[in-house]
Amino acid sequence: MSRALEYLRREERVIGKIIGIRFYPIVVEGALGSRVFDVDGKEYIDFSSQWAVVNLGHNHPEVIEAVRSQLERLVFSSHTTFPNTVAIELAERLVELTPGSFEKKVWFGLTGSDANELIYKIMPVYSRRRRMLGFQGSYHGQTMGALSLSGHKALTRFIGFPNVVKAPYPFCYRCPFKQTYPECGLLCLDFLENNVVENAPAEDLAAVIIEPVQSDGGVIVPPLEFIPRLYRICRDRGISLVVDEVKVGFGRTGRFFAIEHFDVAPDVISMAKPMASGFPLSAVVGRAEIMDAALAAHLFTSSAHPVSCAASLATINVIRREKLLERASKMGNYILERLKEIAEKHQLIGDVRGMGMILGVELVKDHRAKMPATFETASLVYRAYELGLLLTYVGTYSNVVEITPPLTIGIEEVDRALEILEKALDDVEKDRVDRESVRRFVGW
Ligand SMILES: Cc1ncc(COP(=O)(O)O)c(C=O)c1O
């Protein structure tokens, strides 16, 4: 038996299924740059960045060095009561980096969910309005407030709090209003304004929360004018606009924050995943009056962890010095063009889309009815793993292959990964992937 299977059997005995989504039987032992090594010594190209976390690649030497030197100075102080210098420095950087020239302040946590939990908690307190608006398909996190804001089936299967209303996200490939952009004039936004917001009702709406690219919902990029118009709808009614940058912030889309593509300065931004290159850290940056709205309202003993904050400061420096924003735009465009070429040769691909280095390949059984090719997507991701490429899939119908490589990945690795992806696709189309093996790992 392989060591991986041995470990997975041990895992099954002691770790609850609650913890994960699995696509294939990997157990990781090491990683470097864009490569991951499993316990059997097999090497993979990491086209997931571990759910968009290791944007700089695994074990970036500058991050490792910053962490090492922080460990020698201070491993821990609880920022709740004993503030540390690194967190203050990082907060100053984040205030500078986020859009908006108004006064801003920062809160720190440990993971994306706790950041969005703060949004859920604080926006009604600040505004003295009770309700919130989120989007269908959105993923904001697993804690009760964050899941209540979400519209993704992984979260809507739980009964969340009842004060959140959901509107359709502008998903042009599967428009719920059967329209075509731009001829539609963004009918979905008229619906949002006149039907959803007005009936919420508007005067009781504290905030709207949106992902600038809806990631787990299926890598959906909204039309460029959608968010600016949404912002104006909010502003005219005294509703705050909150942007969730947990997955797409810190350079992934080719801008430091994805919202910069839309030229909007939101009232609040949440961020996490890549911000400390794999060390647990999240943040909310918002208008000072929001972040001061309640005293000691979201306390986590180990938030603003000095080691994670040191990793984050190093991450920001690397993004700047290695020009990773430019790189993400360029490499992202290159991958998108290559995916379009692959799509022309494969019926299974219904759509390819993305922004910078978050890309989605949507698989369908037919191009007219767009029946989601869900099992084929699981098979493709499984086969890619067998061939040495780590991919995941997302989407309301579990039929969108998500591509989020490290922003530092080289062209040869990208080409090799795309070759594997195409070979895996070919094998799926020719029914050469073992169905039983895939069934055991059908993810979410
Ligand atoms: C956009 C977005 N927000 C929030 C979260 C939750 O973050 P975490 O899993 O770190 O709690 C995720 C996780 O996938 C996400 O994609």
Side-chain angles (χ1 to χ4, degrees):
M1 196 196 315
S2 69
R3 287 184 70 211
L5 286 180
E6 204 180 304
Y7 267 108
L8 288 171
R9 284 199 180 162
R10 284 170 58 190
E11 190 207 22
E12 205 173 333
R13 281 197 289 273
V14 290
I15 299 185
K17 290 194 177 10
I18 292 170
I19 204 168
I21 316 163
R22 299 290 157 84
F23 303 107
Y24 29 72
I26 193 170
V27 179
V28 177
E29 189 152 63
L32 188 65
S34 302
R35 302 281 169 149
V36 166
F37 313 105
D38 75 7
V39 285
D40 294 298
K42 192 173 160 194
E43 192 173 315
Y44 305 84
I45 301 174
D46 189 354
F47 244 27
S48 83
S49 298
Q50 306 304 301
W51 290 111
V53 169
V54 292
N55 282 8
L56 310 188
H58 293 269
N59 300 15
H60 194 287
E62 196 164 324
V63 175
I64 302 287
E65 191 39 50
V67 165
R68 194 171 282 137
S69 101
Q70 182 58 41
L71 285 173
E72 281 163 12
R73 273 196 308 273
L74 173 73
V75 172
F76 185 67
S77 70
S78 179
H79 204 91
T80 50
T81 306
F82 310 98
N84 72 72
T85 56
V86 224
I88 296 167
E89 241 178 86
L90 178 60
E92 286 168 351
R93 291 303 305 275
L94 294 178
V95 162
E96 278 164 27
L97 284 165
T98 42
S101 50
F102 41 82
E103 197 193 343
K104 287 173 259 171
K105 288 192 179 181
V106 181
W107 167 91
F108 287 116
L110 299 156
T111 193
S113 302
D114 62 21
N116 289 325
E117 193 69 21
L118 170 59
I119 308 284
Y120 177 82
K121 234 184 194 180
I122 204 69
M123 297 315 297
V125 173
Y126 161 72
S127 61
R128 301 208 169 100
R129 296 171 173 204
R130 295 169 300 175
R131 297 168 202 268
M132 310 273 276
L133 188 149
F135 284 87
Q136 292 164 2
S138 64
Y139 190 113
H140 298 299
Q142 292 278 348
T143 53
M144 281 309 291
L147 79 80
S148 304
L149 294 170
S150 303
H152 187 285
K153 62 184 175 175
L155 307 156
T156 51
R157 70 194 176 114
F158 300 103
I159 309 293
F161 298 123
N163 60 331
V164 186
V165 66
K166 311 279 162 63
Y169 197 82
F171 187 8
C172 298
Y173 180 67
R174 291 183 182 278
C175 176
F177 301 97
K178 305 269 181 280
Q179 299 288 308
T180 308
Y181 181 77
E183 295 77 34
C184 63
L186 286 183
L187 186 65
C188 54
L189 203 58
D190 293 340
F191 176 79
L192 183 146
E193 179 170 18
N194 300 319
N195 299 65
V196 187
V197 168
E198 283 310 326
N199 286 317
E203 63 277 11
D204 199 20
L205 259 186
V208 171
I209 180 166
I210 187 165
E211 292 170 77
V213 174
Q214 196 179 79
S215 316
D216 294 343
V219 189
I220 307 164
V221 182
L224 273 184
E225 58 179 312
F226 184 87
I227 296 186
R229 278 181 54 188
L230 175 68
Y231 174 72
R232 287 196 289 277
I233 291 171
C234 290
R235 194 197 48 200
D236 292 350
R237 293 166 173 82
I239 302 165
S240 299
L241 183 68
V242 180
V243 167
D244 178 342
E245 294 262 0
V246 167
K247 198 159 180 179
V248 293
F250 277 68
R252 174 133 315 268
T253 66
R255 296 283 177 87
F256 203 94
F257 291 105
I259 193 65
E260 292 169 49
H261 290 280
F262 304 93
D263 218 6
V264 159
D267 301 292
V268 183
I269 300 182
S270 59
M271 59 197 80
K273 287 177 184 274
M275 69 182 294
S277 294
F279 290 86
L281 187 64
S282 64
V284 173
V285 182
R287 286 184 181 272
E289 58 273 27
I290 297 175
M291 305 307 287
D292 282 335
L295 196 66
H298 207 49
L299 303 178
F300 290 73
T301 305
S302 46
S303 68
H305 198 291
V307 177
S308 299
C309 290
S312 188
L313 282 167
T315 300
I316 294 169
N317 288 341
V318 173
I319 292 173
R320 288 280 179 247
R321 213 197 40 253
E322 295 188 12
K323 300 194 176 358
L324 294 185
L325 307 184
E326 293 85 333
R327 220 183 139 111
S329 298
K330 255 197 180 150
M331 190 67 92
N333 285 339
Y334 174 75
I335 299 174
L336 189 62
E337 288 313 311
R338 288 288 317 278
L339 289 173
K340 284 183 183 160
E341 284 165 25
I342 294 174
E344 275 175 23
K345 292 184 270 165
H346 296 271
Q347 273 300 309
L348 208 45
I349 299 182
D351 192 30
V352 295
R353 49 185 182 255
M355 187 177 239
M357 271 167 98
I358 178 162
L359 300 124
V361 179
E362 176 149 359
L363 302 192
V364 291
K365 291 190 202 238
D366 62 290
H367 281 232
R368 280 194 69 215
K370 301 179 182 170
M371 266 268 285
T374 303
F375 190 74
E376 289 80 354
T377 308
S379 303
L380 168 60
V381 165
Y382 185 90
R383 183 67 184 134
Y385 148 81
E386 288 186 322
L387 296 171
L389 174 65
L390 300 184
L391 290 168
T392 57
Y393 63 80
V394 293
T396 297
Y397 309 104
S398 305
N399 70 327
V400 181
V401 177
E402 185 178 72
I403 297 176
T404 49
L407 311 184
T408 49
I409 195 168
I411 188 87
E412 298 81 14
E413 277 173 318
V414 163
D415 284 339
R416 176 71 195 127
L418 292 171
E419 239 174 70
I420 295 177
L421 191 147
E422 191 168 7
K423 164 86 175 95
L425 192 59
D426 210 41
D427 286 347
V428 172
E429 285 176 339
K430 298 199 168 107
D431 204 14
R432 288 197 293 235
V433 188
D434 180 45
R435 286 167 179 260
E436 270 320 297
S437 306
V438 175
R439 257 187 215 111
R440 274 200 292 277
F441 291 97
V442 165
W444 62 331

